[in-house]
Amino acid sequence: MTVEKAHEDMIERVLKGDRRTASQLMRIVDDRAEGHLDLLGALYPHTGRAFTAGIAGSPGCGKSTIVDALIGELRKQAKTVGVVAIDPTSALTGGAILGDRVRMQQHGLDEGVFIRSVATRGAQGGISPSTVDICRIMDAMGMDVVLVETVGVGQDEVDVRMAVNVNVVVLSPDTGDAIQIMKAGIMEIADVFVVNKMDKEGAENVFQELRMFLTMNEATRDTPVVRMEARANQGTQELLQAVLAFREPEERTRLRRRLEIRKRAGEVFTEWFEDRFRDRIDENIERIQRGETTPYEIVGAMKEIMEGFNPKQ
Ligand SMILES: Nc1nc2c(ncn2[C@@H]2O[C@H](COP(=O)(O)OP(=O)(O)OP(=O)(O)O)[C@@H](O)[C@H]2O)c(=O)[nH]1
Ligand SMILES: [Mg+2]
């Protein structure tokens, strides 16, 4: 079978919702393996249908428990659900741990649920470039809703925010989150807040404090705050309602799409560039180390080659 035919078959099976093939494709994409750009290119026209939500919050605040509860609720409505759990600790080992999957395993055998963990990549942290691709594969498979679980509320989550339709930030009384979030000016990032672990002491205080801060600012005045006790499946319906009712401002949708396309174009270009010039860079490494030239000179020379290149010819 030719490579083209194999790719075509693969895409066809993914579009039919074949889980094994989807996993295979996700692995190819996660590894940035040969041909992954062609595969993603072929898939691209079949995406954009799923509703995507980010679930962010400090370690242990209850994100996986909430995701689990949401899956249950969505399945009651006969909606299919994809979950991408981003696992920052695995940056150390290079592979995603199974904790989340085990926790969510009550849905593991359900054909309408597809769960995948991805590792964050190295020092850059945040979502690995393939996270958005994996969401897109789930979208193409026909998942109605895709949930992305990420740790922490910070710079990383800004990236996630740009990739999803609605961003949920979870707080719990365990951590001093509420204050930190207000200090860091993260208030505007959340479209929906959850105060989880309402069974615990101090939870109502966190809720009241948060409400008070949100009302002080015009931009955040109407942000819904949902009280939850996720472990007891309390507040799940309210959360789902708030999530599905959220209407992303048109301006943001446009900005999000533009940034995503730009970023994607940049990635595709960088990969091409590295492929094309890797040898040339390698050839010069020793010369650079000997002090005979600099990386800037080498890239300068490449730029000249690039600028002389006319794609229309
Ligand atoms: N008391 C109480 N505990 C909860 C509640 N929801 C979750 N937990 C517990 O909090 C702990 C962490 O829950 P997870 O859902 O794993 O939290 P997480 O945010 O996904 O954690 P990481 O993925 O490790 O960042 C578990 O022991 C849960 O059982 C709740 O409503 N009340
Ligand atoms: Mg988790």
Side-chain angles (χ1 to χ4, degrees):
M1 202 184 329
T2 64
V3 175
E4 288 78 17
K5 182 78 177 85
H7 280 185
E8 237 172 72
D9 280 4
M10 198 169 199
I11 296 297
E12 210 169 286
R13 281 202 296 271
V14 169
L15 292 178
K16 281 191 188 130
D18 182 296
R19 306 161 74 89
R20 237 173 62 100
T21 314
S23 297
Q24 242 177 325
L25 180 57
M26 286 174 189
R27 213 167 308 125
I28 291 174
V29 163
D30 210 26
D31 293 343
R32 294 291 191 239
E34 173 104 38
H36 79 275
L37 286 177
D38 294 338
L39 284 162
L40 286 172
L43 210 62
Y44 195 88
H46 305 281
T47 59
R49 206 187 50 86
F51 182 86
T52 53
I55 317 283
S58 303
C61 68
K63 298 175 296 294
S64 297
T65 315
I66 291 169
V67 166
D68 199 29
L70 285 174
I71 295 173
E73 200 56 39
L74 286 160
R75 293 303 291 143
K76 272 194 224 154
Q77 302 178 12
K79 291 203 163 83
T80 51
V81 191
V83 176
V84 186
I86 298 163
D87 177 7
T89 50
S90 50
L92 297 172
T93 57
I97 52 160
L98 296 174
D100 288 291
R101 252 183 288 187
V102 171
R103 229 170 269 149
M104 291 188 256
Q105 73 184 352
Q106 71 175 98
H107 301 289
L109 296 174
D110 181 345
E111 277 291 305
V113 180
F114 194 97
I115 298 170
R116 178 97 190 174
S117 308
V118 292
T120 51
R121 289 280 151 86
Q124 285 173 336
I127 57 174
S128 73
S130 54
T131 305
V132 176
D133 296 329
I134 287 171
C135 289
R136 209 167 266 148
I137 295 167
M138 290 192 177
D139 180 354
M141 280 174 82
M143 293 300 164
D144 297 316
V145 178
V146 178
L147 305 173
V148 186
E149 178 190 331
T150 57
V151 164
V153 180
Q155 192 56 45
D156 307 355
E157 276 58 50
V158 178
D159 288 346
V160 173
R161 179 193 173 203
M162 292 326 279
V164 296
N165 295 118
V166 52
N167 198 45
V168 178
V169 172
V170 181
L171 303 180
S172 80
D174 300 336
T175 49
D177 268 353
I179 306 293
Q180 268 170 30
I181 283 178
M182 288 153 211
K183 271 199 207 140
I186 311 254
M187 304 291 275
E188 287 85 1
I189 286 178
D191 303 312
V192 175
F193 274 105
V194 169
V195 178
N196 189 35
K197 309 197 185 183
M198 283 307 293
D199 55 304
K200 283 200 163 182
E201 209 188 311
E204 185 58 30
N205 280 347
V206 174
F207 176 85
Q208 295 299 343
E209 207 174 6
L210 180 61
R211 283 291 326 140
M212 196 184 75
F213 273 102
L214 288 169
T215 18
M216 274 161 47
N217 188 334
E218 182 79 40
T220 55
R221 190 158 295 159
D222 298 323
T223 308
V225 186
V226 179
R227 289 187 183 90
M228 279 191 92
E229 185 187 341
R231 211 171 49 176
N233 203 11
Q234 296 289 313
T236 314
Q237 284 176 9
E238 290 80 351
L239 173 59
L240 188 58
Q241 241 165 37
V243 162
L244 296 178
F246 177 74
R247 292 283 162 268
E248 185 178 39
E250 221 169 279
E251 194 188 335
R252 186 173 116 185
T253 313
R254 241 179 290 130
L255 176 69
R256 189 162 62 79
R257 298 231 168 97
R258 188 168 356 133
L259 289 179
E260 204 183 306
I261 289 168
R262 242 193 242 162
K263 202 169 157 190
R264 174 41 44 111
E267 275 171 27
V268 173
F269 176 75
T270 305
E271 291 201 21
W272 173 84
F273 179 82
E274 283 175 0
D275 262 4
R276 176 97 162 59
F277 288 101
R278 185 171 297 123
D279 289 348
R280 195 179 290 261
I281 292 169
D282 286 352
E283 277 164 21
N284 284 290
I285 286 177
E286 280 179 20
R287 289 187 53 226
I288 294 171
Q289 280 169 343
R290 285 199 299 268
E292 291 165 22
T293 181
T294 67
Y296 304 94
E297 244 175 55
I298 304 296
V299 173
M302 288 175 195
K303 264 163 80 181
E304 262 171 47
I305 297 174
M306 297 287 303
E307 273 158 8
F309 169 71
N310 181 354
K312 290 198 185 109
Q313 274 172 5

